[in-house]
Amino acid sequence: MSEPFLIGENMTGGYGKGPDILHNCTIAVNPGEIAVIVGPNGAGKSTAMKAVFGMLTVRSGSVRLAGEDITQLSPQDRVVKGMGFVPQTSNIFASMTVEENLEMGAFIRTDDFSATLEQVYHLFPILRDKRNQAAGELSGGQRQQVAVGRALMTKPKVLMLDEPTAGVSPIVMDELFDRIIEVARTGLPILMVEQNAKQALEIADKGYVLVQGRNAYTGSGQDLLADPDVRKSFLGG
Amino acid sequence: MNQTVKHTLLFAAVGLLLLLEGTSTAFGVFSGSWNSSLTILNMGLISAIMALGVNLQWGFAGLFNVGIMGFTALGGLAVVLIATPATPGAWDAGGQRILLALILGATTIAAAIFVYHRMAGKRARPLAMIAVLVAGFFLYRGVLDPGVEAVESINPALSGNIGGLGLPVLLAWPVGGILAAGVAWIIGKTALGLRSDYLAIATLGIAEIILSVLKNEDWLSRGVKNVVGLPRPLPYEVDLQNDPAFVEQAAAWGFDATTASTLYVKLGYSLLFTAVLLVLLWMAQMALRSPWGRMMRAIRDNEVAANAMGKDVTSRHLQIFILGSAICGIAGAMMTTLDSQLTPGTYNPLRFTFLIWVMVIVGGSGNNFGAVLGGLLVWFLWIKVEPLGIMLMDLLTAGMAEDNGLRVHLLESAAHMRLFTMGLVLLLVLRFSPRGLIPEK
Amino acid sequence: MDFLNALVALSNFVLVPGIAYGSQLALGALGVTLIYGILRFSNFAHGDTMAFGTMVTILFTWWFQSLGISAGPLPTALLALPFGILATMALVVGTDRAVFRFYRQQKAKPVVFVMVSLGVMFMMNGLVRFIIGPGDQRFSDGERFIIKARTFKQMTGLDEGLAIKTSQGITVVTAIIVVAVLFWFLNKTRTGKSMRAYSDNEDLALLSGINPERVVMYTWLIVAVLATVAGTLYGLDKSFKPFTYFQLLLPIFAAAIVGGLGSPLGAIAGGFVIAMSEVIITYAWKKVAKYLLPESLEPDGLVQLLSTDYKFAVSFAILIVVLLFKPTGIFKGKAV
């Protein structure tokens, strides 16, 4: 098997000097794919993603992007390398307009980003309508679209979403998932942490089930949904 | 080196400085006069008490009080109100009116608070409050102004104020503490529980306002006309010099009567102040070690956790803020007693607020002994930086002609060096030794 | 006629001075609020930064005057202002490098920053007094009035005169220009937007590749401009005395908090609220009342709510009320 586009391999580590939360955990994603990290509460789902993004100390193992070892880089440097990250909370500039949020997403770019802005508006039409409104005044689902849009503005090579559907209604969740699939169809690899395991695995090309910071099950979304062990242990039968 | 030994040595070093001040004229820094040495010691002791109060607020609870000057001045006011004799006729002329007006003022505020708590309605409530406050204000001024005028017209050259109760001056010290505590309660009620910056700004403000009240309300403490010749707890030098027994005793010790009487009075103050300092220090130490003190420090270190454990952080903060301010009030009363005069014009925040902060930080915040050491040491430096600055300037400009403009300017401005130096000391200590000379255990 | 006279008296003694003072406070409060928004602490050294900038401006003014350079009817200080700004920029950026940056890297608590700013305040205060002395300095020259009271009376035939000092006119015009440029910068330029983004959500700004040190540096540069301009205008309008500038801290903080710490728009509104209240409450209304009330009701006293000695009490009282009822201020600042 060839090297995946983005891989966090055998990662062991924790926050700062604290105890290890991840143990020998491996997460990978390829272009055109949606990879989903699921698991019970406290399994280290978000932690695994933050490890890939460089927000915690990885004591052993490595993170590689397009074959390049980026384990030692800071999150900011990883953004420059082409990683787009959408945090779970406070992921927008609430006091700034939607368009300004998107512009700030493109801050590191020195080229003309109007085409990307157009793409984002195409993907999330509602944002075009509300582009001069303060992002903080939008609804929960719209805010998430702003957040994803902001991350897309860097023209990332990989997009990472930390629980994008946390706290939104089921209808909005479905809509968000549709958008995410649309983004993935453009060829952008997407790595996503999700609380709503069932729905997430349905759209996932690859699923990682973490339990206590370790890879418990790995497989395609459909395989995992069909796996009786996975179903029994946390999909609720 | 053992910690205790180190700390003892630090205190011994301050003692040595004072000793040198009394005996030697070395380096042109020391004056070689016991009189000067005791003067520095006395103010040092008062500063140490203030530092103790501030340390209670900052070291124990992490509260940033920038209004020490105001609380100190309130202590001074207490001395006037308690110890001076009542101005004859003032009470009948306008004193009663003034008291009535003050009661009316307080009632107005209470009524406004009552309205706030009892009324509902988005429009009606604020309007009713404003109505109460405005009506109350005019009523207050209507009653107050004639009273003030009457009091201030009584022999304005000498008194023109309501005077005091004529009680022993030592009684003013605790009263100063109570006055300061009362104002601290009001400020604490408002600003605590909000962001830490707000307490700093609110205390900065109240200090300015207390000072402007003292400067402008002539009926109260004669304003900038100052109250002089306040009663003191110790005998007057002149009386001592006229006392044959004292003169004889002084001669036996090898002093002339004038020197001996000055030293006697100053030493008396030193003993009094030391006694107060020791009592407060003992109380602060007990508080620090008590469960209450442990809880305070727990809150300081992690407010969120303490809150989650069900501690009422804001009211604990209020307690300690009041206590610390009261100590500053006591120290303020002591200082005014030492000076025998209340001179509102001489209070300035750099000297009375920020200098105390330097003392606490340099000494070691969170440690009571550190605060005391800081008070004594920094006061000594404060006094001595000026001659040092002049010496430095003299040295730097030695090559220039006597009437060189730059030289004259530098020599004249050397006095401002101490603000600069104090700021520098504060920054250096905060940066390189944030725990101070005697760190918290 | 009486009504017109009352209106003129009101403008002359309340509105005009209030607007000028309000502009000065607004500029000062903008500096405080920017520092708060970006560096997240209340800068106690702001008053003394203003004093420093003004002092340099004064020194250059004196130098220009000795060289015979003048701005005609306008005060020479306007020519010296850019030099004051440059010197203040150097001072605050240098201070940030030498002092504040260390605590940023330590991620120190805001209250530590406040205390450090206190130390900086001390040093700046000492520096200013050392260089120019603690006394009063007047440095305004040029034409003193735009309209003199007597000219106004002759023009209109009213009993009351309206005088507008040049310094008041300059204050308002300059404040409008500075504020317009500042808002253009914050809302339209990339750097300005990055500053707002950083102030809004620091972590996300970092994720977006915004360099915090650059943002901080720009903030200090802008604050240097605001502080120097505010200080110089105040000095031209009244007079320069280091201690007065330290005392200005209170109304400036009050203005920033009333408007909502961290909100530039709020700082401007707060500046005018504080200035107007101060002037209205400490003004003796007898003159205005004389025209409006019938003779029988004419007041005996000065009809002054508080003596001018208590002007700081006004800002303080407003501050307390805001803290009690709406700690985030009129424009919803960041701080609670």
Side-chain angles (χ1 to χ4, degrees):
Chain A
M1 192 178 125
S2 68
E3 164 96 1
F5 183 69
L6 170 68
I7 179 165
E9 199 168 31
N10 300 328
M11 298 179 296
T12 300
Y15 292 100
K17 293 192 166 61
D20 286 348
I21 301 170
L22 294 179
H23 305 278
N24 221 9
C25 178
T26 298
I27 307 282
V29 64
N30 268 315
E33 271 184 3
I34 299 179
V36 174
I37 308 173
V38 293
N41 279 334
K45 301 186 294 283
S46 290
T47 312
M49 176 175 276
K50 285 177 182 162
V52 174
F53 192 57
M55 289 165 88
L56 71 160
T57 328
V58 174
R59 274 182 267 277
S60 71
S62 63
V63 182
R64 294 191 301 280
L65 180 70
E68 186 188 350
D69 190 329
I70 55 167
T71 320
Q72 301 306 324
L73 292 186
S74 70
Q76 283 88 315
D77 292 335
R78 290 180 206 219
V79 172
V80 179
K81 288 278 177 201
M83 294 172 80
F85 179 67
V86 180
Q88 186 184 340
T89 52
S90 34
N91 49 20
I92 53 166
F93 299 112
S95 66
M96 302 176 81
T97 67
V98 169
E99 186 148 307
E100 283 172 338
N101 264 275
L102 299 178
E103 274 177 51
M104 284 300 111
F107 192 81
I108 51 169
R109 288 176 56 179
T110 45
D111 55 337
D112 182 19
F113 55 79
S114 52
T116 321
L117 191 65
E118 211 37 55
Q119 278 170 15
V120 171
Y121 281 150
H122 182 71
L123 206 54
F124 305 114
I126 186 77
L127 298 190
R128 190 197 300 274
D129 301 338
K130 309 226 164 192
R131 64 172 180 267
N132 291 324
Q133 213 168 323
E137 295 168 3
L138 303 183
S139 71
Q142 289 164 352
R143 284 163 180 242
Q144 292 296 7
Q145 296 184 22
V146 175
V148 175
R150 186 204 62 82
L152 287 175
M153 286 302 292
T154 49
K155 269 216 256 173
K157 297 184 189 125
V158 56
L159 182 63
M160 308 206 295
L161 308 170
D162 193 353
E163 302 207 15
T165 64
V168 301
S169 71
I171 301 169
V172 175
M173 180 174 81
D174 286 344
E175 150 123 27
L176 272 175
F177 277 150
D178 286 347
R179 300 271 171 252
I180 290 167
I181 294 169
E182 228 173 288
V183 175
R185 287 212 187 104
T186 63
L188 184 64
I190 295 180
L191 180 61
M192 179 163 85
V193 169
E194 256 304 329
Q195 193 72 253
N196 303 302
K198 230 179 213 169
Q199 292 88 332
L201 286 177
E202 271 164 15
I203 65 162
D205 299 291
K206 207 188 271 170
Y208 295 92
V209 180
L210 298 194
V211 174
Q212 292 192 333
R214 290 171 216 277
N215 291 93
Y217 307 92
T218 307
S220 78
Q222 297 307 321
D223 287 351
L224 289 176
L225 283 171
D227 187 326
D229 282 346
V230 174
R231 294 180 72 91
K232 201 167 72 189
S233 52
F234 76 90
L235 290 180
Chain B
M1 190 164 51
N2 180 316
Q3 286 294 305
T4 326
V5 176
K6 182 188 147 199
H7 300 162
T8 317
L9 281 178
L10 281 169
F11 274 101
V14 176
L16 184 68
L17 284 176
L18 288 167
L19 193 71
L20 284 173
E21 173 72 15
T23 54
S24 141
T25 50
F27 319 115
V29 176
F30 300 112
S31 60
S33 130
W34 278 110
N35 192 8
S36 145
S37 179
L38 283 176
T39 309
I40 295 178
L41 174 66
N42 285 342
M43 268 315 286
L45 287 167
I46 290 173
S47 304
I49 294 175
M50 291 181 192
L52 207 56
V54 174
N55 182 44
L56 211 57
Q57 295 173 337
W58 171 248
F60 284 29
L63 299 178
F64 195 30
N65 174 2
V66 200
I68 304 164
M69 168 183 77
F71 299 111
T72 314
L74 277 178
L77 175 64
V79 177
V80 174
L81 293 182
I82 294 295
T84 53
T87 307
W91 176 248
D92 293 323
Q96 291 160 347
R97 282 188 82 100
I98 291 175
L99 189 65
L100 179 68
L102 293 179
I103 293 171
L104 278 175
T107 319
T108 306
I109 298 203
I113 294 171
F114 180 80
V115 168
Y116 179 74
H117 282 298
R118 287 300 163 86
M119 263 183 80
K122 223 172 151 51
R123 281 281 156 71
R125 189 166 79 169
L127 284 179
M129 276 180 71
I130 290 170
V132 168
L133 287 173
V134 169
F137 179 78
F138 281 105
L139 189 64
Y140 162 79
R141 284 290 298 266
V143 176
L144 181 75
D145 289 358
V148 167
E149 210 169 306
V151 168
E152 284 178 1
S153 60
I154 302 173
N155 195 4
L158 283 175
S159 52
N161 68 332
I162 50 170
L165 300 171
L167 296 170
V169 68
L170 285 185
L171 200 63
W173 297 4
V175 171
I178 292 170
L179 275 186
V183 172
W185 179 77
I186 296 173
I187 294 300
K189 267 283 180 198
T190 320
L192 285 171
L194 299 171
R195 244 189 87 96
S196 49
D197 304 29
Y198 285 174
L199 182 71
I201 296 167
T203 46
L204 180 80
I206 193 71
E208 287 296 322
I209 287 168
I210 291 172
L211 251 289
S212 48
V213 168
L214 285 190
K215 279 182 191 165
N216 295 304
E217 296 304 311
D218 287 8
W219 60 269
L220 187 64
S221 58
R222 306 197 70 227
V224 284
K225 291 184 282 181
N226 302 337
V227 182
V228 295
L230 288 168
R232 35 152 103 168
L234 293 167
Y236 284 87
E237 286 86 347
V238 187
D239 297 338
L240 287 175
Q241 286 158 22
N242 292 336
D243 177 2
F246 179 81
V247 176
E248 199 175 308
Q249 188 67 38
W253 285 80
F255 288 108
D256 66 278
T258 321
T259 320
S261 62
T262 331
L263 290 184
Y264 177 85
V265 172
K266 292 217 155 120
L267 209 54
Y269 275 123
S270 305
L271 291 176
L272 261 176
F273 293 165
T274 309
V276 176
L277 176 63
L278 287 178
V279 169
L280 288 173
L281 183 62
W282 177 77
M283 282 163 59
Q285 276 304 93
M286 295 305 282
L288 183 68
R289 293 203 193 118
S290 70
W292 182 82
R294 278 200 297 277
M295 181 178 65
M296 280 301 173
R297 281 176 293 160
I299 291 176
R300 179 197 63 190
D301 293 338
N302 193 339
E303 213 166 290
V304 180
N307 215 345
M309 286 189 315
K311 308 288 181 207
D312 185 349
V313 173
T314 307
S315 70
R316 288 293 91 75
H317 276 172
L318 187 59
Q319 278 177 356
I320 206 152
F321 182 66
I322 291 175
L323 281 178
S325 305
I327 292 181
C328 292
I330 295 172
M334 292 164 64
M335 193 182 72
T336 305
T337 312
L338 175 67
D339 294 343
S340 296
Q341 56 182 348
L342 180 66
T343 49
T346 58
Y347 285 83
N348 76 68
L350 294 165
R351 152 75 183 84
F352 283 93
T353 297
F354 302 127
L355 186 62
I356 310 297
W357 270 102
V358 175
M359 292 170 179
V360 174
I361 303 292
V362 169
S365 52
N367 190 313
N368 292 318
F369 290 101
V372 173
L373 177 77
L376 293 166
L377 180 64
V378 173
W379 179 253
F380 190 88
L381 294 177
W382 174 256
I383 294 295
K384 289 301 172 189
V385 162
E386 198 167 337
L388 276 177
I390 292 174
M391 266 171 55
L392 185 72
M393 289 304 155
D394 224 10
L395 209 64
L396 283 177
T397 58
M400 300 181 193
E402 278 297 320
D403 53 352
N404 182 307
L406 184 63
R407 180 187 163 112
V408 172
H409 175 79
L410 285 177
L411 283 176
E412 274 175 2
S413 308
H416 307 302
M417 280 294 284
R418 45 185 192 181
L419 290 176
F420 189 83
T421 317
M422 283 298 148
L424 190 64
V425 168
L426 184 70
L427 287 181
L428 289 177
V429 174
L430 273 176
R431 172 82 170 255
F432 297 106
S433 172
R435 286 157 56 76
L437 287 172
I438 307 186
E440 185 181 353
K441 285 193 192 82
Chain C
M1 216 48 171
D2 272 355
F3 178 74
L4 275 183
N5 272 322
L7 203 66
V8 170
L10 181 77
S11 311
N12 194 26
F13 296 105
V14 176
L15 293 182
V16 172
I19 289 171
Y21 182 42
S23 311
Q24 291 147 10
L25 280 189
L27 290 178
L30 270 174
V32 166
T33 228
L34 278 183
I35 293 282
Y36 189 88
I38 303 288
L39 290 110
R40 297 170 214 289
F41 71 94
S42 310
N43 183 16
F44 272 67
H46 196 76
D48 287 291
T49 310
M50 283 166 59
F52 180 86
T54 314
M55 175 192 75
V56 177
T57 308
I58 292 177
L59 294 178
F60 272 95
T61 308
W62 288 344
W63 188 48
F64 287 163
Q65 284 168 346
S66 73
L67 293 179
I69 302 173
S70 86
L74 297 176
T76 316
L78 287 186
L79 297 177
L81 190 58
F83 299 95
I85 290 176
L86 284 178
T88 314
M89 281 177 169
L91 178 80
V92 292
V93 171
T95 310
D96 184 71
R97 287 281 152 84
V99 183
F100 291 115
R101 184 155 70 173
F102 171 78
Y103 297 95
R104 263 203 309 284
Q105 285 160 355
Q106 303 275 304
K107 300 207 183 304
K109 285 191 214 161
V111 69
V112 174
F113 275 98
V114 175
M115 192 177 280
V116 170
S117 78
L118 212 69
V120 172
M121 182 194 86
F122 253 124
M123 292 185 68
M124 285 188 183
N125 199 306
L127 193 66
V128 170
R129 287 174 191 221
F130 185 78
I131 296 176
I132 206 166
D136 244 319
Q137 313 287 350
R138 301 201 119 265
F139 60 104
S140 57
D141 51 7
E143 205 63 53
R144 249 177 76 68
F145 288 99
I146 297 175
I147 306 176
K148 281 191 183 138
R150 195 190 305 160
T151 327
F152 183 86
K153 282 189 210 166
Q154 283 165 356
M155 270 163 50
T156 57
L158 289 172
D159 293 340
E160 277 300 316
L162 176 67
I164 299 180
K165 285 195 284 179
T166 316
S167 60
Q168 291 167 332
I170 289 176
T171 295
V172 175
V173 172
T174 315
I176 291 174
I177 293 172
V178 169
V179 167
V181 172
L182 176 69
F183 276 77
W184 169 80
F185 177 79
L186 286 178
N187 290 317
K188 296 291 173 207
T189 65
R190 205 170 95 100
T191 311
K193 285 179 191 174
S194 73
M195 283 174 61
R196 280 166 56 219
Y198 185 84
S199 156
D200 183 315
N201 187 337
E202 188 177 339
D203 292 329
L204 196 61
L206 295 179
L207 280 186
S208 305
I210 293 169
N211 180 354
E213 287 304 311
R214 255 177 78 90
V215 168
V216 166
M217 194 185 75
Y218 275 108
T219 310
W220 282 116
L221 293 180
I222 295 172
V223 166
V225 177
L226 290 169
T228 311
V229 171
T232 305
L233 292 177
Y234 186 87
L236 279 176
D237 197 18
K238 281 143 193 164
S239 76
F240 173 81
K241 190 179 176 194
F243 189 66
T244 318
Y245 279 62
F246 160 77
Q247 283 188 316
L248 271 181
L249 257 190
L250 187 61
I252 284 178
F253 272 137
I257 291 175
V258 167
L261 266 179
S263 154
L265 215 55
I268 296 170
F272 284 100
V273 168
I274 296 288
M276 279 299 172
S277 324
E278 220 172 77
V279 177
I280 287 172
I281 293 181
T282 55
Y283 173 60
W285 287 89
K286 187 183 170 84
K287 210 160 195 174
V288 176
K290 189 174 79 186
Y291 290 112
L292 290 182
L293 298 175
E295 215 152 304
S296 55
L297 282 175
E298 236 170 65
D300 311 320
L302 291 168
V303 205
Q304 187 182 18
L305 295 178
L306 277 178
S307 90
T308 40
D309 302 310
Y310 288 121
K311 58 181 186 188
F312 290 122
V314 177
S315 359
F316 186 72
I318 297 174
L319 177 70
I320 291 288
V321 169
V322 169
L323 287 188
L324 278 174
F325 296 104
K326 203 165 189 317
T328 49
I330 309 172
F331 280 81
K332 271 254 163 85
K334 302 164 64 70
V336 178

